């Protein structure tokens, strides 16, 4: 099956005879079969091959629409009269080569590469944003009761000592003096801590270290933020 060598006079004669009673290579409308054969012809057939020349000029008018013509382009040897030997080459190999050189075929592969590139770019952007996003830090709000020795303790100095305690992840907040009886007042002070860095044991140890002013320290309230 085939037309032989369509660049030779013999091949063009076969094509002309084949089109004597046909408008197209296959069916009743221009298709990828016509595109495949058209591309194998080196130029317009001579005037004496009127059927081939008519067909050639007609298919040439579809130059801009070739890619949209129906059908799937096959190897050239798959078209033409059945009694003509296919001289386009070794069937399977040429079929693969023709598919690879398909100038009017699908651009799905190119689109697939574009989609892959876009997906990779979006993944990279997501990973970048994820890396820049700060990790969630667990924090707690703690209300401390700091009790003095007696009513003669300098409470302003006691608070100064407490606030002098500095640590990464520790922020002191508001405070007030709360009466406890017999003229004695305790210091009630708020602080916010990062749980991984500051604990109540550490606070108690460092506050009670000011033993000239502090008798004891208790946790009045503890809330996760």
């Amino acid at each position: 099956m085939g037309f032989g060598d369509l660049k030779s006079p013999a091949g063009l004669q076969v094509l002309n005879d084949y089109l004597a009673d046909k408008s197209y290579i296959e069916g009743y409308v221009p298709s990828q079969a016509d595109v495949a054969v058209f591309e194998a012809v080196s130029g317009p057939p001579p005037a004496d091959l009127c059927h081939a020349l008519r067909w050639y000029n007609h298919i040439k008018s579809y130059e801009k629409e070739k890619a949209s013509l129906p059908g799937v382009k096959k190897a050239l040897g798959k078209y033409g009269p059945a009694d003509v030997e296919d001289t386009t080459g070794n069937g399977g190999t040429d079929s693969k080569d023709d598919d690879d050189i398909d100038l009017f075929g699908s651009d799905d592969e190119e689109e697939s590469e574009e989609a892959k590139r876009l997906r990779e770019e979006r993944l990279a952007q997501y990973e970048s944003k994820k890396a820049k996003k700060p990790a969630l830090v667990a924090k707690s709000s703690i209300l401390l009761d700091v009790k003095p020795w007696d009513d003669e303790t300098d409470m302003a100095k006691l608070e100064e000592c407490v606030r002098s305690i500095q640590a990464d992840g520790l922020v002191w907040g508001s405070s007030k003096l709360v009466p406890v009886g017999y003229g004695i007042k305790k210091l009630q002070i708020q602080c916010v801590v990062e749980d991984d860095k500051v604990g109540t044991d550490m606070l108690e140890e460092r506050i009670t270290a000011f033993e000239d002013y502090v008798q004891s320290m208790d946790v009045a309230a503890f809330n996760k933020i």
Side-chain angles (χ1 to χ4, degrees):
M1 188 173 187
F3 295 103
D5 182 2
L6 284 172
K7 291 180 172 57
S8 69
L12 290 175
Q13 184 64 59
V14 173
L15 176 64
N16 186 72
D17 294 343
Y18 181 76
L19 291 169
D21 59 351
K22 298 178 180 65
S23 297
Y24 303 103
I25 300 300
E26 286 184 346
Y28 301 97
V29 294
S31 68
Q32 292 301 317
D34 296 284
V35 173
V37 176
F38 180 88
E39 290 174 348
V41 177
S42 57
D48 61 320
L49 301 178
C50 57
H51 303 301
L53 181 61
R54 165 190 49 81
W55 168 86
Y56 181 91
N57 290 331
H58 182 54
I59 299 305
K60 187 177 181 181
S61 69
Y62 287 92
E63 186 74 32
K64 295 182 180 180
E65 299 130 89
K66 281 183 179 180
S68 63
L69 293 180
V72 178
K73 189 166 20 169
K74 297 178 288 189
L76 188 60
K78 301 295 184 182
Y79 306 113
D83 58 347
V84 177
E85 182 181 358
D86 176 16
T87 60
T88 58
N90 297 327
T93 303
D94 282 355
S95 176
K96 182 178 186 300
D97 290 344
D98 287 345
D99 289 343
D100 290 343
I101 308 173
D102 185 359
L103 301 178
F104 299 99
S106 171
D107 57 355
D108 286 348
E109 183 178 348
E110 181 180 345
E111 291 176 355
S112 177
E113 289 297 322
E114 178 68 11
K116 181 180 179 181
R117 184 183 66 79
L118 289 173
R119 182 171 64 254
E120 289 176 350
E121 284 183 1
R122 288 170 183 166
L123 283 172
Q125 290 172 0
Y126 171 76
E127 292 297 335
S128 177
K129 289 180 181 179
K130 186 177 178 181
K132 292 178 181 178
K133 187 177 180 179
L136 183 64
V137 178
K139 294 183 179 180
S140 298
S141 174
I142 305 175
L143 183 63
L144 302 175
D145 281 347
V146 184
K147 296 175 183 176
W149 288 105
D150 53 38
D151 60 344
E152 295 183 359
T153 301
D154 186 343
M155 297 302 292
K157 186 64 178 178
L158 184 151
E159 181 175 354
E160 182 183 332
C161 290
V162 171
R163 289 186 180 276
S164 71
I165 299 171
Q166 299 295 318
D168 185 26
L170 169 64
V171 178
W172 294 107
S174 60
S175 64
K176 64 180 179 179
L177 297 177
V178 179
V180 294
Y182 305 103
I184 301 173
K185 295 180 180 179
K186 65 181 178 181
L187 173 69
Q188 198 166 74
I189 186 168
Q190 188 89 26
C191 67
V192 174
V193 301
E194 293 183 20
D195 295 347
D196 290 341
K197 298 177 180 178
V198 180
T200 55
D201 291 342
M202 184 270 275
L203 289 173
E204 182 175 13
E205 179 182 350
R206 296 186 64 174
I207 290 174
T208 55
F210 298 107
E211 54 188 20
D212 289 343
Y213 301 98
V214 178
Q215 179 192 48
S216 63
M217 186 214 84
D218 296 311
V219 177
F222 189 107
N223 296 297
K224 294 286 187 182
I225 297 176

